[in-house]
Amino acid sequence: MKNRQKTKSKFKYFIISFVLTIFASLIFAFENPNFLYEKGFFFLAYFSYIPVLFVVHNSSVKNVWFYGGLYGALSYFFFAYWLINYNSLCMIIACAVYFIILALVFLLLKYVDLVFVKSAWLVQFLIIISYEYLKTLGFLGYNYGVTAYTQWNFIPVIQIVDLIGVFGLNAIIVFPSFVIYAIIQKSLDKRFIRFQKDTDNSLYDCDTHINYVSKYDRALEFSSVKTPVILLCVWCVIFSITFSYGYFFKKDYSNNRQMTVAAIQHNENPELNGMTENLKNLKTLMNLSDEAKGMNPDIKLIVWPETAVVPSIVNNYKSDNKDKSAFVEDLLAYLNKRECSFVIGNNHVVKENNLLADYNSALYFENRKALYPPEPEIYSKMHLVPFSEKIPFEGKLKDYLLKNGSFIFAQGTEYVTFNKDGMIFSTLICFEDTFTDIARKNVKNGARCFINLSNDAWAKEASCQYQHLAMAVFRSVENRVPSIRSTASGQTCIINPDGSIKQMAPAFCKTYVIDKIPVIEQHRKNTIYTLTGDIIAAGYCILTGVLLLIKTIVVIIVNIKNRNKNG
């Protein structure tokens, strides 16, 4: 009978934990831009980790890793489902990677739940915000899914990132999940302990019961909700200050000199290649640019998307390949007749050590200058997409990826700024604008505007493009500079220094946006975030490591003493 009850109890907890894990992964997906609502249900972010913490608390060490792995795989399957449109293997790799990562994170959360007891939820909070920062670093660094990015359209709240960065705001957004969980869990523990205490009254005599009363009194003290309630009040004050900072201390750029720019969206078909398609795309880009210029003759700068021009402009000038050479001649003749400058995404080819190296580059053509031969200023992408633009190994898997859409690029090595009539800008190519440090270093290098050239057309989903846009918004606010985004299929837009979208083209159509952007003075002081970077994130990573190390040492010492005492 006891074994049957035990089995039923285990099955019940398995079902509850399984359902909570699926629920948590759905919250993770829907708090971000998703297939139901392309802007995302941002308010879910304040509660997203509550079911995760209950799963950890109610699971054993033996099975908590499974729930963590399931949460990681499902979260990124629901969130980044559009990866399937690029390559199903990439989706499998992403789910597998996050299965392993979150399995380990859940094991660590469970360890903290067991050894910290009273303050476990606070240390778990530090672990999660540290994890969300650490996962963005290195070759496999992936910024998609950082909780704070869900707030991209909540303009007053995100203004604080010019002081503390996105990972400082991340701590503010994530904290409510943990403090609410602590209040609920400690209340449940208190009820259970009191029930046990009342039950013991009928089982033990007075002398023996004294020990049990003191034991339960200590347990009740550990289950006090006083601390989390106080910290919830503190969080409310901090959130109010954060909101007030963004709402009342607005920065006005209306007195700055304005420059009219245009960003082109040619809506290419990513599945078609070859010179016929290249010529078709070039004609579309030219026509859209002329239409934009006709709409507003004051346009000073026109931006084309990432690799909008595939044949290398510099390498194919008067080359032996007649088709590519004629292609470049047509483009240069077009640029020579236009009264504005161009930023063009190009597959730039350079001869290095008698070998040709391909770069994913942005070429800046100043109005009618250095065209014959073409000598544009060039920036080449420094952070390449793992397994899509850079494959760090040889073998059958690499061959498979190359046959299914991956293309190996050489890696750029230096930050570059360009100058258009006093507007100093840098070009962030594709997902480079998701990395805080790349954008920050460009600003420290003198940039006062970001131009992002992207091609997310392969995803065929607006939610993917909005997820990318959400991160681009933060780069503008962190560094207080405007952004111009020219994308192949969306979201092509102009972003103000406060993160608000000034103009945005509809997705998946041939179009453009035209607007004025403020020219930020070169001598303007950098923001606190630009100067300090993600020092807050590094700080709480160090704090987490120190706390875990100290507690582990204490646990080891106590266990040794207990063994000696009992042995």
Side-chain angles (χ1 to χ4, degrees):
M1 182 66 71
K2 287 184 178 180
N3 289 336
R4 186 179 296 177
Q5 289 178 343
K6 192 174 182 181
T7 301
K8 285 184 178 179
S9 179
K10 282 184 177 180
F11 183 72
K12 184 181 79 170
Y13 276 110
F14 169 78
I15 294 297
I16 292 172
S17 296
F18 186 79
V19 170
L20 282 175
T21 301
I22 295 174
F23 183 57
S25 63
L26 288 171
I27 292 177
F28 175 86
F30 289 123
E31 69 188 15
N32 291 283
N34 57 79
F35 59 87
L36 289 181
Y37 181 49
E38 58 196 15
K39 293 184 179 180
F41 302 101
F42 75 94
F43 56 88
L44 293 175
Y46 297 86
F47 316 102
S48 60
Y49 280 107
I50 294 175
V52 166
L53 294 168
F54 276 109
V55 169
V56 170
H57 185 71
N58 294 321
S59 301
S60 67
V61 176
K62 289 182 180 180
N63 57 29
V64 72
W65 66 269
F66 169 75
Y67 297 119
L70 183 65
Y71 171 72
L74 289 179
S75 292
Y76 280 87
F77 177 79
F78 295 137
F79 167 67
Y81 65 95
W82 35 263
L83 274 174
I84 296 174
N85 294 329
Y86 173 66
N87 191 318
S88 57
L89 180 60
C90 286
M91 170 58 81
I92 293 170
I93 291 173
C95 290
V97 167
Y98 278 95
F99 183 96
I100 295 169
I101 291 174
L102 269 300
L104 295 173
V105 170
F106 271 49
L107 278 169
L108 188 57
L109 292 173
K110 185 62 182 179
Y111 171 73
V112 168
D113 191 53
L114 293 172
V115 301
F116 278 87
V117 187
K118 188 177 180 179
S119 59
W121 66 276
L122 273 172
V123 182
Q124 288 171 329
F125 162 69
L126 289 172
I127 288 171
I128 288 297
I129 59 175
S130 296
Y131 150 71
E132 289 204 7
Y133 169 63
L134 292 173
K135 84 183 190 75
T136 69
L137 306 179
F139 172 69
L140 290 174
Y142 193 60
N143 289 273
Y144 288 74
V146 172
T147 304
Y149 287 131
T150 61
Q151 309 299 300
W152 69 278
N153 210 27
F154 197 175
I155 300 302
V157 165
I158 68 174
Q159 301 309 304
I160 197 75
V161 300
D162 69 351
L163 302 177
I164 61 177
V166 66
F167 294 107
L169 177 62
N170 201 48
I172 296 174
I173 304 303
V174 169
F175 188 75
S177 286
F178 289 80
V179 73
I180 293 170
Y181 159 78
I183 292 170
I184 296 171
Q185 186 60 58
K186 287 178 181 293
S187 297
L188 292 174
D189 287 346
K190 231 176 183 181
R191 289 175 61 185
F192 178 75
I193 292 164
R194 280 176 176 156
F195 171 77
Q196 292 287 82
K197 183 178 177 180
D198 292 341
T199 304
D200 280 350
N201 278 328
S202 62
L203 296 177
Y204 299 98
D205 58 42
C206 291
D207 292 334
T208 308
H209 185 66
I210 293 172
N211 295 324
Y212 282 87
V213 170
S214 61
K215 178 183 74 173
Y216 287 128
D217 284 342
R218 285 195 298 272
L220 284 167
E221 181 185 345
F222 277 114
S223 298
S224 172
V225 297
K226 183 178 179 181
T227 299
V229 167
I230 291 172
L231 289 177
L232 180 60
C233 294
V234 171
W235 177 85
C236 289
V237 172
I238 291 172
F239 187 82
S240 298
I241 293 170
T242 299
F243 184 89
S244 299
Y245 175 79
Y247 189 82
F248 293 107
F249 296 92
K250 297 178 181 178
K251 295 171 177 62
D252 184 14
Y253 295 92
S254 60
N255 292 327
N256 288 59
R257 180 166 65 91
Q258 305 288 309
M259 180 177 291
T260 305
V261 298
I264 308 300
Q265 178 178 295
H266 64 309
N267 197 35
E268 68 167 20
N269 187 335
E271 296 177 355
L272 300 178
N273 297 295
M275 283 305 299
T276 300
E277 190 65 18
N278 292 337
L279 286 166
K280 178 184 174 183
N281 288 333
L282 179 62
K283 185 175 181 180
T284 300
L285 290 160
M286 290 175 174
N287 290 340
L288 289 170
S289 299
D290 287 343
E291 187 178 333
K293 188 69 173 171
M295 288 281 291
N296 193 327
D298 291 334
I299 292 173
K300 302 297 182 185
L301 181 69
I302 294 177
V303 185
W304 291 0
E306 176 188 16
T307 57
V309 175
V310 177
S312 173
I313 297 171
V314 174
N315 190 60
N316 287 299
Y317 177 69
K318 295 190 181 301
S319 71
D320 294 335
N321 188 316
K322 293 182 180 180
D323 289 339
K324 291 182 179 180
S325 180
F327 178 96
V328 172
E329 287 288 348
D330 289 345
L331 172 59
L332 296 179
Y334 171 83
L335 297 178
N336 193 45
K337 294 178 182 178
R338 269 52 189 184
E339 292 289 344
C340 60
S341 300
F342 284 80
V343 174
I344 298 175
N346 183 224
N347 180 11
H348 178 54
V349 177
V350 178
K351 193 171 185 178
E352 298 175 350
N353 300 321
N354 295 321
L355 296 173
L356 295 179
D358 293 272
Y359 289 89
N360 188 347
S361 301
L363 278 56
Y364 174 54
F365 289 91
E366 181 61 70
N367 186 20
R368 294 184 174 181
K369 292 181 181 179
L371 289 173
Y372 301 101
E375 296 177 348
E377 296 178 61
I378 301 171
Y379 166 74
S380 295
K381 189 175 182 181
M382 298 171 67
H383 196 116
L384 301 173
V385 180
F387 306 113
S388 178
E389 296 177 327
K390 185 176 182 180
I391 305 173
F393 49 74
E394 301 293 334
K396 292 183 179 180
L397 180 57
K398 180 177 181 178
D399 294 338
Y400 174 84
L401 290 170
L402 290 174
K403 288 178 182 178
N404 289 272
S406 296
F407 185 89
I408 295 178
F409 283 109
Q411 189 169 358
T413 57
E414 60 181 318
Y415 296 95
V416 179
T417 57
F418 308 100
N419 188 335
K420 172 58 183 174
D421 299 339
M423 183 187 78
I424 313 298
F425 65 92
S426 62
T427 52
L428 306 174
I429 299 177
C430 192
F431 87 146
E432 283 189 320
D433 66 350
T434 72
F435 292 93
T436 59
D437 210 38
I438 294 176
R440 186 178 73 89
K441 285 180 178 176
N442 272 298
V443 174
K444 292 187 75 174
N445 196 39
R448 294 296 180 266
C449 175
F450 295 139
I451 293 182
N452 177 247
L453 290 69
S454 288
N455 186 345
D456 294 325
W458 51 268
K460 301 177 184 178
E461 291 288 345
S463 60
C464 170
Q465 296 169 173
Y466 269 99
Q467 288 168 13
H468 191 169
L469 170 64
M471 292 176 277
V473 164
F474 277 79
R475 302 297 84 82
S476 278
V477 185
E478 286 168 344
N479 301 283
R480 291 298 175 189
V481 298
S483 291
I484 305 164
R485 299 189 79 238
S486 176
T487 74
S489 58
Q491 297 324 111
T492 297
C493 63
I494 307 295
I495 305 173
N496 287 320
D498 67 355
S500 58
I501 308 298
K502 197 172 185 181
Q503 289 279 352
M504 184 157 67
F508 304 111
C509 63
K510 295 177 174 64
T511 186
Y512 50 83
V513 295
I514 305 170
D515 216 319
K516 293 181 178 180
I517 62 168
V519 177
I520 309 298
E521 304 87 351
Q522 187 68 18
H523 61 270
R524 184 212 68 178
K525 291 182 179 180
N526 287 325
T527 66
I528 290 176
Y529 173 76
T530 303
L531 295 173
T532 60
D534 295 313
I535 190 171
I536 292 176
Y540 53 62
C541 286
I542 293 170
L543 176 60
T544 305
V546 169
L547 289 173
L548 289 172
L549 179 62
I550 292 173
K551 190 64 175 181
T552 300
I553 292 171
V554 170
V555 169
I556 292 171
I557 292 172
V558 169
N559 285 337
I560 291 172
K561 285 183 176 180
N562 287 338
R563 284 179 187 175
N564 293 336
K565 186 177 179 181
N566 297 326

Coordinates of all heavy atoms in Angstrom, one line a residue, residues 262-267 281-295 299 302 304-305 334 342 488 509-514:
A262 N 17.4 57.7 -46.4 CA 16.5 56.7 -46.9 C 17.1 55.3 -46.7 O 18.2 55.1 -46.9 CB 16.2 56.9 -48.4
A263 N 16.2 54.4 -46.3 CA 16.6 53.0 -46.1 C 15.8 52.1 -47.0 O 14.5 52.2 -47.0 CB 16.4 52.5 -44.7
I264 N 16.4 51.3 -47.8 CA 15.7 50.5 -48.9 C 15.4 49.1 -48.4 O 16.3 48.5 -47.7 CB 16.6 50.5 -50.2 CG1 17.0 51.9 -50.6 CG2 15.8 49.8 -51.3 CD1 15.8 52.9 -50.9
Q265 N 14.3 48.6 -48.8 CA 13.9 47.2 -48.5 C 13.4 46.6 -49.8 O 12.3 46.9 -50.3 CB 12.8 47.2 -47.4 CG 12.3 45.8 -47.1 CD 11.2 45.9 -46.0 OE1 11.4 46.2 -44.9 NE2 9.9 45.5 -46.4
H266 N 14.3 45.8 -50.4 CA 13.9 45.3 -51.8 C 13.2 43.9 -51.8 O 12.9 43.4 -52.8 CB 15.2 45.2 -52.6 CG 16.3 44.2 -52.1 ND1 16.7 44.2 -50.8 CD2 16.9 43.2 -52.8 CE1 17.6 43.3 -50.7 NE2 17.8 42.7 -51.8
N267 N 13.1 43.3 -50.6 CA 12.3 42.1 -50.4 C 12.7 41.0 -51.4 O 11.9 40.4 -52.2 CB 10.8 42.4 -50.6 CG 9.9 41.3 -50.1 OD1 10.2 40.6 -49.1 ND2 8.8 41.0 -50.7
N281 N 17.6 42.0 -58.6 CA 17.6 42.7 -57.4 C 18.3 44.0 -57.5 O 17.8 45.0 -56.9 CB 18.4 41.8 -56.3 CG 17.7 40.6 -55.9 OD1 16.4 40.6 -55.9 ND2 18.4 39.6 -55.5
L282 N 19.3 44.1 -58.3 CA 20.0 45.4 -58.5 C 19.0 46.4 -59.1 O 18.9 47.6 -58.7 CB 21.2 45.3 -59.4 CG 22.0 46.6 -59.7 CD1 22.5 47.2 -58.4 CD2 23.1 46.3 -60.7
K283 N 18.2 46.0 -60.1 CA 17.2 46.9 -60.7 C 16.2 47.3 -59.7 O 15.8 48.5 -59.7 CB 16.6 46.1 -61.9 CG 15.6 47.0 -62.7 CD 15.1 46.3 -63.9 CE 14.2 47.2 -64.7 NZ 13.6 46.5 -65.9
T284 N 15.8 46.4 -58.9 CA 14.8 46.8 -57.8 C 15.4 47.8 -56.9 O 14.7 48.8 -56.5 CB 14.4 45.5 -57.0 OG1 13.8 44.6 -57.9 CG2 13.4 45.9 -56.0
L285 N 16.6 47.6 -56.5 CA 17.3 48.5 -55.5 C 17.4 49.9 -56.2 O 17.2 50.9 -55.5 CB 18.6 48.0 -55.1 CG 18.6 46.8 -54.2 CD1 20.0 46.0 -54.3 CD2 18.3 47.2 -52.8
M286 N 17.8 49.9 -57.4 CA 17.9 51.2 -58.1 C 16.6 51.9 -58.3 O 16.5 53.1 -58.0 CB 18.5 51.0 -59.5 CG 20.0 50.6 -59.5 SD 20.5 50.2 -61.2 CE 22.2 49.9 -61.0
N287 N 15.6 51.2 -58.7 CA 14.2 51.8 -58.8 C 13.7 52.4 -57.5 O 13.1 53.5 -57.5 CB 13.3 50.8 -59.4 CG 13.6 50.5 -60.9 OD1 14.3 51.2 -61.6 ND2 13.1 49.3 -61.3
L288 N 13.8 51.6 -56.5 CA 13.3 52.0 -55.2 C 14.1 53.3 -54.7 O 13.5 54.2 -54.1 CB 13.5 50.9 -54.1 CG 12.5 49.7 -54.3 CD1 12.9 48.6 -53.4 CD2 11.1 50.2 -54.0
S289 N 15.4 53.3 -54.9 CA 16.2 54.4 -54.5 C 15.8 55.7 -55.3 O 15.7 56.8 -54.7 CB 17.7 54.1 -54.8 OG 18.1 53.0 -54.0
D290 N 15.6 55.5 -56.6 CA 15.2 56.7 -57.4 C 13.8 57.2 -57.0 O 13.5 58.4 -57.0 CB 15.2 56.3 -58.9 CG 16.6 56.1 -59.5 OD1 17.5 56.7 -58.8 OD2 16.7 55.5 -60.5
E291 N 12.9 56.2 -56.7 CA 11.6 56.6 -56.2 C 11.7 57.4 -54.9 O 11.0 58.4 -54.7 CB 10.7 55.4 -56.0 CG 9.3 55.7 -55.7 CD 8.4 54.4 -55.6 OE1 8.8 53.4 -56.3 OE2 7.4 54.4 -54.9
A292 N 12.5 56.9 -54.0 CA 12.7 57.6 -52.7 C 13.3 59.0 -53.0 O 12.8 60.0 -52.4 CB 13.6 56.8 -51.8
K293 N 14.3 59.1 -53.8 CA 14.9 60.4 -54.1 C 13.9 61.3 -54.8 O 13.9 62.5 -54.5 CB 16.1 60.2 -55.0 CG 17.0 61.4 -55.2 CD 17.7 61.8 -54.0 CE 18.7 63.0 -54.4 NZ 19.3 63.6 -53.2
G294 N 13.0 60.8 -55.6 CA 12.0 61.6 -56.3 C 11.0 62.1 -55.2 O 10.5 63.2 -55.4
M295 N 10.7 61.3 -54.2 CA 9.8 61.7 -53.2 C 10.4 62.8 -52.3 O 9.7 63.7 -51.9 CB 9.4 60.5 -52.3 CG 8.5 59.5 -53.0 SD 6.8 60.0 -53.0 CE 6.4 59.9 -51.2
I299 N 17.3 64.0 -49.7 CA 18.0 62.8 -49.2 C 19.5 62.9 -49.4 O 19.9 63.1 -50.6 CB 17.4 61.5 -49.9 CG1 16.0 61.3 -49.4 CG2 18.3 60.3 -49.5 CD1 15.3 60.1 -50.1
I302 N 21.6 57.1 -48.9 CA 20.7 56.0 -49.1 C 21.4 54.7 -48.7 O 22.6 54.5 -49.0 CB 20.3 55.9 -50.6 CG1 19.4 57.1 -51.0 CG2 19.5 54.6 -50.9 CD1 19.1 57.2 -52.5
W304 N 21.4 50.5 -48.6 CA 20.9 49.2 -49.1 C 21.2 48.1 -48.1 O 22.2 48.1 -47.4 CB 21.6 48.9 -50.5 CG 21.1 49.8 -51.6 CD1 20.2 50.8 -51.5 CD2 21.6 49.7 -52.9 NE1 20.1 51.4 -52.7 CE2 20.9 50.8 -53.6 CE3 22.5 48.9 -53.6 CZ2 21.1 51.0 -55.0 CZ3 22.7 49.2 -55.0 CH2 22.0 50.2 -55.7
P305 N 20.4 47.0 -48.1 CA 20.6 46.0 -47.0 C 21.9 45.1 -47.2 O 22.7 45.3 -48.1 CB 19.4 45.1 -47.3 CG 18.4 45.9 -48.1 CD 19.2 46.8 -48.9
Y334 N 25.3 54.1 -62.3 CA 24.2 54.5 -61.6 C 24.6 55.4 -60.4 O 24.0 56.5 -60.3 CB 23.4 53.3 -61.1 CG 22.3 53.7 -60.1 CD1 21.0 54.1 -60.6 CD2 22.5 53.6 -58.7 CE1 20.0 54.4 -59.7 CE2 21.5 54.0 -57.9 CZ 20.2 54.4 -58.4 OH 19.2 54.7 -57.5
F342 N 25.9 56.5 -50.8 CA 25.3 55.2 -50.6 C 26.1 54.4 -49.7 O 27.3 54.4 -49.7 CB 25.2 54.5 -52.0 CG 24.1 55.0 -52.9 CD1 24.3 56.1 -53.6 CD2 22.9 54.3 -53.0 CE1 23.3 56.6 -54.5 CE2 21.9 54.8 -53.9 CZ 22.1 55.9 -54.6
A488 N 16.5 43.3 -45.8 CA 16.0 42.7 -47.1 C 14.5 42.6 -47.1 O 13.8 42.8 -48.1 CB 16.6 41.4 -47.3
C509 N 7.6 43.4 -48.4 CA 7.2 44.1 -49.6 C 8.4 45.0 -50.0 O 9.3 45.3 -49.3 CB 6.0 44.9 -49.4 SG 6.2 46.2 -48.1
K510 N 8.3 45.4 -51.3 CA 9.4 46.2 -51.9 C 9.0 47.7 -51.5 O 8.0 48.2 -52.0 CB 9.5 46.0 -53.4 CG 9.9 44.7 -53.8 CD 9.9 44.6 -55.3 CE 10.5 43.2 -55.8 NZ 9.8 42.1 -55.4
T511 N 9.9 48.3 -50.7 CA 9.5 49.6 -50.2 C 10.7 50.3 -49.7 O 11.9 49.9 -49.8 CB 8.4 49.6 -49.2 OG1 8.0 50.9 -48.9 CG2 8.8 48.8 -47.9
Y512 N 10.5 51.4 -49.0 CA 11.6 52.2 -48.4 C 11.1 53.1 -47.3 O 9.8 53.3 -47.2 CB 12.3 53.1 -49.4 CG 11.4 53.9 -50.3 CD1 10.9 55.1 -49.8 CD2 11.0 53.4 -51.5 CE1 10.1 55.9 -50.6 CE2 10.1 54.1 -52.3 CZ 9.6 55.4 -51.8 OH 8.7 56.1 -52.6
V513 N 11.9 53.6 -46.4 CA 11.5 54.6 -45.5 C 12.4 55.9 -45.7 O 13.6 55.7 -46.0 CB 11.6 54.1 -44.0 CG1 10.6 53.0 -43.7 CG2 13.0 53.7 -43.7
I514 N 11.8 57.0 -45.5 CA 12.5 58.3 -45.6 C 12.2 59.1 -44.4 O 11.1 59.2 -43.9 CB 12.0 59.1 -46.8 CG1 12.2 58.3 -48.1 CG2 12.9 60.4 -47.0 CD1 11.5 59.0 -49.3

